[in-house]
Amino acid sequence: MAQQNLKKNVIFDFFQITAKDSDGKVTDFPMDMFAEKIVDKLPTIVQRVKQINGEEIYLNSLPKDEDYQYFHIVRRRADAPAIGNDNSDQLTDINLEENQFVVEDLSILFDTNLCVAMFQRNRNSIGPTRILEYFNLLLSDISDNEQKILFQPIVRNDTFKALKKKDVITKIAIKTSDLANSNLPHEMKSLLTPTILDGLELEITLSVGRSRTKTIQKDFADQVINSVEQNPNKILSANVSGGNKNINNTTYNVEPFDLLRGRLIAEYSFDLGDKKSGNHLKSASVRDQMHLLYNECKSKIIASLGNRSN
């Protein structure tokens, strides 16, 4: 029986990159010039390693194409996973040589013209908060200016309007601090009794998985979406993915939406091949896809920046 190829879904977030000086003035921050100074003043990986919350993070490479600047960032894992075998109950340690590490990596795309960055978000990699701290540590190493880099999420003001143009809903992920007293539909509240949930946060995810034909029942999906739009009280996060149907009843153009904060999000499913081919997601493949996705989202980014300035 042939093995199915492994898939990896990756979320991408968008931020406007600015900097605040010692007088409190905030201006756009040119990450391309920042990259050039890093290469000039911190040319080796060893010089770029920083300890953040007990973890070592470093800027591995700074590739650039004709349109965008990229940053490839790596987190060194403190532990190393073991290797299992179908024919044995024993786990085998991965023996690493000196100066070798198990790592998690991610890529960042920077648009020089808009001063906007697109961040790859992985489950086990570095989040934006630690990346921001890391960048500010590098900035203090290469510059005497008392500046602090800031990340401002790109927020779209048409979240619910755009979502209503989707024919079907393929995923609903809700996190609530108080399900019983939220505005969510009765069908969702009845999943568990209030006594079980008393004082507990609850996260519920409904998804069609990788199916391109299944959908979440429209009436129920509309109830959830409308309840969050009308009264988000007790809701900690609310993310929905919606798509359109073609003449073959296949879902396409699936897009993720952040109902609570309106953050612009993109998503892509990478094909990692089978187990034997090695399933590390190559940074070059990620960069190529980020380039395409960013260009697709560019009009939404420009609209968001225009609304912010008004």
Side-chain angles (χ1 to χ4, degrees):
M1 181 178 176
Q3 287 187 339
Q4 289 187 338
N5 283 1
L6 299 172
K7 299 282 187 179
K8 183 172 183 177
N9 287 330
V10 177
I11 301 292
F12 299 94
D13 296 309
F14 300 82
F15 295 88
Q16 186 177 28
I17 311 300
T18 59
K20 181 186 288 187
D21 63 21
S22 57
D23 295 325
K25 183 180 180 181
V26 177
T27 55
D28 287 344
F29 186 75
M31 292 287 286
D32 54 332
M33 295 176 63
F34 179 52
E36 290 175 3
K37 288 183 179 179
I38 291 172
V39 172
D40 180 46
K41 297 189 176 184
L42 305 173
T44 69
I45 285 178
V46 173
Q47 291 173 302
R48 303 172 193 165
V49 176
K50 298 293 181 184
Q51 285 271 355
I52 298 178
N53 292 342
E55 295 182 320
E56 290 189 336
I57 297 171
Y58 65 90
L59 185 54
N60 187 56
S61 63
L62 299 97
K64 191 174 186 178
D65 61 28
E66 60 183 13
D67 295 317
Y68 305 121
Q69 172 71 58
Y70 299 87
F71 297 80
H72 183 228
I73 299 178
V74 173
R75 174 177 73 91
R76 292 176 176 171
R77 285 182 53 169
D79 61 331
I83 299 174
N85 189 312
D86 287 340
N87 300 316
S88 172
D89 60 0
Q90 298 298 313
L91 300 181
T92 304
D93 291 335
I94 296 178
N95 295 316
L96 299 174
E97 296 179 9
E98 189 176 359
N99 297 325
Q100 286 187 324
F101 305 89
V102 175
V103 300
E104 305 283 352
D105 65 329
L106 62 82
S107 294
I108 300 171
L109 173 154
F110 178 70
D111 181 345
T112 305
N113 294 324
L114 297 179
C115 273
V116 168
M118 177 183 186
F119 284 66
Q120 176 188 356
R121 192 205 314 168
N122 295 335
R123 181 174 296 177
N124 297 318
S125 64
I126 320 138
T129 301
R130 281 187 288 171
I131 293 173
L132 178 60
E133 185 177 350
Y134 175 72
F135 278 165
N136 276 310
L137 289 173
L138 290 184
L139 182 61
S140 65
D141 285 347
I142 65 174
S143 174
D144 295 329
N145 295 332
E146 294 185 10
Q147 280 187 310
K148 287 292 182 184
I149 302 172
L150 306 173
F151 294 167
Q152 297 176 293
I154 298 295
V155 177
R156 56 188 300 179
N157 68 342
D158 67 337
T159 297
F160 289 98
K161 182 179 178 181
L163 182 54
K164 288 173 182 176
K165 294 180 181 179
K166 299 296 183 181
D167 301 326
V168 295
I169 300 301
T170 58
K171 184 177 181 179
I172 297 174
I174 299 288
K175 186 175 182 180
T176 173
S177 61
D178 187 350
L179 180 64
N181 293 308
S182 71
N183 195 40
L184 292 169
H186 170 73
E187 290 85 352
M188 191 169 277
K189 292 182 179 181
S190 63
L191 291 174
L192 292 169
T193 61
T195 53
I196 295 175
L197 294 174
D198 186 32
L200 301 177
E201 294 180 358
L202 176 68
E203 190 165 2
I204 302 171
T205 299
L206 306 174
S207 173
V208 302
R210 302 194 185 282
S211 172
R212 297 181 63 195
T213 56
K214 295 179 182 178
T215 64
I216 296 175
Q217 189 179 60
K218 181 171 173 50
D219 288 346
F220 172 73
D222 287 345
Q223 287 182 53
V224 174
I225 294 166
N226 291 335
S227 69
V228 175
E229 182 178 18
Q230 294 164 8
N231 182 6
N233 188 37
K234 308 297 184 182
I235 304 299
L236 300 177
S237 66
N239 296 285
V240 171
S241 294
N244 298 106
K245 285 284 190 180
N246 61 21
I247 57 175
N248 297 319
N249 202 37
T250 299
T251 305
Y252 72 102
N253 195 26
V254 176
E255 187 178 358
F257 296 87
D258 179 346
L259 303 188
L260 209 58
R261 301 172 183 86
R263 295 174 304 119
L264 179 62
I265 307 170
E267 185 174 8
Y268 187 78
S269 180
F270 289 90
D271 188 337
L272 302 181
D274 59 31
K275 285 185 178 180
K276 294 181 180 179
S277 65
N279 56 18
H280 174 250
L281 183 54
K282 304 296 187 293
S283 60
S285 299
V286 175
R287 287 197 304 272
D288 290 344
Q289 192 57 48
M290 288 178 76
H291 193 137
L292 295 173
L293 287 172
Y294 183 84
N295 287 342
E296 290 176 6
C297 293
K298 204 164 187 176
S299 61
K300 298 170 188 173
I301 294 169
I302 292 171
S304 173
L305 295 177
N307 291 329
R308 178 178 291 170
S309 63
N310 291 334

